[in-house]
Every structure is written in structure tokens, then in C-alpha cells.
């Protein structure tokens, strides 16, 4: 009888260990995300020029994107394709765990794309991967996957669950803040490549015809760099069921224009640090912004600014695993496109009603200054005064309409009340330091101020709220 009891006890322990290994008490939550905006169009970098012999060199705006004619030698103004080559995209999970999955997207493609192999590993430096961390990724148990093209559900594909044996615990301190290297080898000709242009993160590409280098630990085959993310869209992690998932939604000021390349100093990254300091591994925040994005259509067709917020909400936001909250900062580009404030307000109402219907809370960021003593890059009158008037109307609506669950005062955190611009310390560019200030995008200090302006209390996980209430 005693031996039988011991056997039953051992069996129960074994079942418990299996269940723990299977993450049965966990749920999928988004840990990193980006918004595909269009298919890649090759644009040759602008070159300095001389107006006439002997005249000074005329310089043009800089671009952090390398000349992608080298990894894509077939690139033309109408697009480019990957051909038998490998991408190694670097992404920073906001929350680590033992079990992840990855979603790829071909929504802006016109032909199916095939990845003959996909792997993940911990970035060492450059395109190098830490030895012992490279893990294969499968789709329906297979190493290869073909993703259909077009605006349909099948054009977005999740991988199988991937076990990361080198991650010890949730948000393991050894990997916290590190980048995940996602490598995928395109087989044949990809056709137009779905991508997010403004990654502000360096990733890597091998030469055309070089084949599958997803298993490489070193950077040698990854000759070319890019500051865009191609195909990869989401990284989910198995996390505690109480985990709060926050989506930062909007335009370039959320996407991170004029942040410091590879530093992850967007306002949502600053907020991420505060959330994790307060709530540990029970919260994650992801970024679904696109530079140049608008609240309402018309949007510019096939532009890197992507579809308008009202059109991309289902795909980019509501489809996020475990979504609970959204912080939305958007509208300045609509003013620049001469959209009326009434149409933008209607867009706010549309998006908020759909998020609320899904049980998601929405917090609106007040629009930061775009006044500028040299004007803003919008056709809105002298010194951007028309855009400024519209901004004041929208901010009044955001603060007082009552449609939002809360308001984040990004405007007050960054405004110089005397000049109407952002505070002087937030204006010099952290990137492209020799370019004129644009009076629209904050620098490192400005994004830091925005991230610190958010009240984190509404994003507390349930156990924290229950503890605080007692």
C-alpha cells in the first residue's frame, strides 16, 4: 500500500512538472510588435550637388537607411525583391519568457513568399548570435513556410511555439533588455516585400543568391544593413494570465523619429522601464506606430506612412495577443494634410468605440507642438499657425470630450509656454545632429519627458490593484 501511495505521489509530481513545462497556466501576450506599412519601394539616397562650377556644395537631408540597392541589386523605383537570401532582424522583446511565437506578414505582397528556414537566437553584437542560443522555428511542425500574399487573414502566419532553453525565468535578468535575432531565409524570388520603414534599429541582410544563413552564429555572411523590419510583425510570449498588454499607437512621435539609432529611447521605451520597475513581469508594452500616419483617410497610397488608423486598427492593434490598454497619440499629420478637425474627431470616436467594444481601455496623448519658428513641413500657412490652431482644437477635445478613459499630457510635458514650441532642450536633434531642427519631433530628452509624464497607475495588473485597494 505504501509503495502504491509513493507511486501515485510521484505520478502527481510528474504531471505537475509536465503542466508547468507546457505553460498550461499561461496566456499568449504581445512582447514586441511593429506595423507593416507598405511594400518596399527603392529610393536612391539623395546626393549632394553643386549648382554651378565653383559654387558651394549643396547638401541634402540625411537618411539613416543605407543604400539598399546593394542587397537588392534588382531594386527599381517600383520596388525590389529578395532572391535566395537571408534576413536577420533584430527586435527587443519587452517581456522575455521560455516560450515564444513569431508572426510574419505578407499583407502588402503580390506573390506568396517562402522561408525555407527560420531561427531565433540572442543577439551578441552586430549580426552575431550568442553560441548555444540558436533555436529552429517551425510552422505546423515544418521548417519551411509559404505565406500567401494580400490583405487577407492567411497572409499573416504565426509560428509554432518555440522553446528558449537559455531563458531561465520570466524576464530573466540575463536577457532583460537584450535583442532577439530573428533569421529567415527567402527561397526564390519574394516579390514585393512587406515592411516597416522606420525601425530605428539596425538589422542585417545577406547578398542575393547567398542562400540560407539562418544557422550562422557569426556576422560574416550578413554583409548589408537596414534600418527597416521586413516581414516580421509580432513576437508573443507565454506569460502570467494577469499580464497587462499596452499598445502605443500613433505616428512618427511614437514610432521614434529622431530617437537615437539602436538605443530604444522612444517615449514608450521610457514608459516600459517605469512599468517594469513598478510591476515587474506582469506588464508589457509594444509599439504599433508608423511615421507619417494619419487618423483618417485619405492616406497616401503605397506610402511608408501606411493606411490610416481607422483602417489599420483591426490588423495592427485589435489583433495583438492579450491586449488590455492603448495609448494613442495621433492627429498632427491629418492637420498637415488639411483634414478638418471635425473629421479627425470623428476618427477618434470611431477608433475609441471599436476598442471599447473589445473591452480595451484607451488613453489619449495630447498633441505636442508643431509650431516652429521656421515653420513645419506641412502646407499650413506661415510658421505652421494653421496647424497650431487645429492642434489646440484637438487637444481641447482630447481633454474634455470624455470619450477616452484617460489623458496623457504629452503637450504640457514638452511645451514652452512662452514660445509655443517644444522646450528648447527638446529641439536639437539626437540623430542627424547637423540638420536643422524640425520643431516637430522631440529628441532624446523630449521623449524621456514624455515617457515620464504618463500616470502608470491605470496600467497596474489586477493583483497590484487588489493589493493597493487593501
Amino acid at each position: 500500500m505504501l509503495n502504491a501511495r509513493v507511486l501515485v505521489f510521484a505520478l502527481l509530481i510528474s504531471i505537475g512538472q509536465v503542466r508547468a513545462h507546457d505553460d498550461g497556466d499561461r496566456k499568449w501576450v504581445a512582447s514586441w510588435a511593429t506595423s507593416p506599412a507598405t511594400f518596399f519601394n527603392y529610393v536612391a539616397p539623395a546626393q549632394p550637388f553643386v549648382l554651378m562650377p565653383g559654387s558651394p556644395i549643396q547638401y541634402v537631408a540625411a537618411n539613416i537607411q543605407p543604400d539598399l540597392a546593394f542587397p537588392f541589386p534588382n531594386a527599381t523605383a517600383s520596388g525590389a525583391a529578395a532572391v535566395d537570401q537571408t534576413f536577420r532582424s533584430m527586435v527587443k522583446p519587452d517581456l522575455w519568457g521560455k516560450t515564444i511565437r513569431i508572426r510574419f506578414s505578407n499583407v502588402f505582397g503580390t506573390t506568396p513568399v517562402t522561408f525555407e528556414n527560420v531561427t531565433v537566437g540572442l543577439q551578441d553584437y552586430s549580426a552575431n548570435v550568442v553560441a548555444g542560443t540558436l533555436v529552429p522555428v517551425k510552422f505546423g511542425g515544418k521548417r519551411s513556410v509559404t505565406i500567401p500574399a494580400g490583405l487577407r487573414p492567411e497572409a499573416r502566419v504565426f509560428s509554432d511555439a518555440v522553446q528558449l532553453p537559455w531563458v531561465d525565468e520570466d524576464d530573466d535578468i540575463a536577457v532583460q533588455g537584450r535583442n532577439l535575432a530573428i533569421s529567415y531565409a527567402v527561397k526564390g524570388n519574394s516579390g514585393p516585400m512587406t515592411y516597416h520603414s522606420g525601425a530605428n534599429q539596425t538589422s542585417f541582410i545577406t547578398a542575393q543568391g547567398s542562400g540560407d544563413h539562418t544557422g550562422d552564429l557569426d556576422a560574416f555572411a550578413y554583409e548589408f544593413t537596414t534600418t527597416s523590419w521586413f516581414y516580421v510583425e509580432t513576437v508573443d510570449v507565454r506569460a502570467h494570465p494577469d499580464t497587462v498588454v499596452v499598445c502605443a499607437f500613433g505616428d512618427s512621435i511614437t514610432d521614434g523619429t529622431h530617437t537615437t539609432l539602436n538605443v530604444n529611447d522612444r517615449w514608450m521605451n521610457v514608459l516600459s522601464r517605469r512599468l517594469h520597475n513598478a510591476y515587474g513581469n506582469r506588464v508589457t508594452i509594444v509599439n504599433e506606430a508608423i511615421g507619417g500616419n494619419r487618423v483618417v483617410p485619405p492616406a497616401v497610397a503605397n506610402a511608408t506612412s501606411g493606411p490610416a488608423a481607422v483602417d489599420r486598427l483591426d490588423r495592427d492593434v485589435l489583433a495583438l495577443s492579450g491586449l488590455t490598454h492603448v495609448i494613442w497619440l495621433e492627429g498632427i499629420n491629418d492637420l498637415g494634410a488639411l483634414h478638418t478637425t471635425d473629421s479627425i474627431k470623428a476618427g477618434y470616436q470611431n477608433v475609441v468605440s471599436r476598442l471599447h467594444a473589445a473591452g480595451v481601455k484607451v488613453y489619449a496623448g495630447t498633441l505636442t507642438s508643431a509650431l516652429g519658428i521656421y515653420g513645419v513641413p506641412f502646407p499650413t500657412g506661415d510658421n505652421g499657425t494653421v496647424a497650431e490652431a487645429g492642434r489646440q482644437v484637438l487637444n481641447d477635445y482630447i481633454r474634455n470630450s470624455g470619450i477616452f478613459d484617460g489623458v496623457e499630457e504629452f503637450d504640457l510635458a514638452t511645451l514652452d509656454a512662452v514660445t509655443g514650441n517644444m522646450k528648447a532642450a527638446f529641439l536639437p536633434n539626437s540623430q542627424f545632429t547637423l540638420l536643422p531642427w524640425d520643431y516637430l519631433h522631440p529628441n532624446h530628452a523630449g521623449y524621456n519627458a514624455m515617457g515620464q509624464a504618463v500616470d502608470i497607475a491605470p496600467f497596474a495588473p489586477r493583483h497590484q490593484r487588489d493589493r493597493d485597494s487593501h
Side-chain angles (χ1 to χ4, degrees), residues 96-390:
W96 283 89
K98 289 177 174 292
T99 307
I100 67 169
R101 65 180 181 180
I102 302 165
R103 181 161 55 196
F104 291 91
S105 174
N106 191 25
V107 294
F108 293 105
T110 59
T111 61
V113 60
T114 297
F115 302 146
E116 61 178 321
N117 261 320
V118 180
T119 63
V120 294
L122 184 66
Q123 183 188 22
D124 187 350
Y125 65 95
S126 180
N128 301 296
V129 175
V130 175
T133 68
L134 207 60
V135 178
V137 177
K138 295 183 179 180
F139 302 81
K142 299 179 179 179
R143 293 292 300 268
S144 66
V145 61
T146 297
I147 306 175
L151 299 175
R152 49 183 175 153
E154 310 92 273
R156 305 170 76 209
V157 175
F158 265 121
S159 73
D160 299 345
V162 181
Q163 301 299 320
L164 304 180
W166 37 274
V167 178
D168 287 336
E169 302 291 344
D170 290 355
D171 235 4
D172 176 6
I173 192 172
V175 295
Q176 196 174 86
R178 299 286 294 275
N179 287 336
L180 182 72
I182 306 174
S183 306
Y184 39 107
V186 172
K187 183 177 181 179
N189 188 307
S190 69
M193 298 180 289
T194 296
Y195 88 131
H196 178 97
S197 175
N200 285 291
Q201 172 70 52
T202 300
S203 292
F204 304 89
I205 312 172
T206 68
Q208 281 195 352
S210 61
D212 178 7
H213 288 274
T214 58
D216 292 13
L217 290 177
D218 56 58
F220 305 142
Y222 291 91
E223 301 177 53
F224 307 109
T225 61
T226 177
T227 51
S228 298
W229 286 307
F230 291 81
Y231 294 114
V232 65
E233 183 186 82
T234 315
V235 175
D236 282 359
V237 63
R238 294 287 285 177
H240 190 279
D242 195 24
T243 302
V244 170
V245 178
V246 183
C247 173
F249 188 43
D251 54 30
S252 58
I253 297 176
T254 300
D255 202 19
T257 297
H258 285 189
T259 54
T260 314
L261 182 65
N262 293 325
V263 171
N264 290 307
D265 60 357
R266 308 166 189 86
W267 66 258
M268 54 78 55
N269 298 119
V270 177
L271 176 58
S272 167
R273 185 68 175 190
R274 295 180 59 219
L275 291 171
H276 287 293
N277 284 347
Y279 308 129
N281 59 16
R282 298 288 180 88
V283 64
T284 176
I285 182 169
V286 298
N287 194 319
E288 292 283 19
I290 303 176
N293 200 235
R294 300 177 187 176
V295 175
V296 293
V300 180
N302 301 324
T304 57
S305 53
V310 296
D311 294 327
R312 66 186 186 93
L313 182 73
D314 289 346
R315 185 197 71 197
D316 291 348
V317 181
L318 285 169
L320 289 170
S321 299
L323 179 68
T324 58
H325 299 74
V326 168
I327 303 176
W328 189 20
L329 171 61
E330 193 159 21
I332 200 67
N333 293 313
D334 296 78
L335 295 174
L338 301 181
H339 292 175
T340 66
T341 54
D342 283 345
S343 70
I344 302 167
K345 292 176 188 178
Y348 289 161
Q349 295 163 10
N350 176 296
V351 167
V352 170
S353 65
R354 290 157 64 191
L355 289 169
H356 281 167
V360 177
K361 293 187 175 180
V362 192
Y363 295 77
T366 50
L367 305 185
T368 54
S369 174
L371 182 60
I373 58 173
Y374 298 119
V376 293
F378 304 141
T380 52
D382 293 339
N383 296 333
T385 52
V386 176
E388 175 64 12

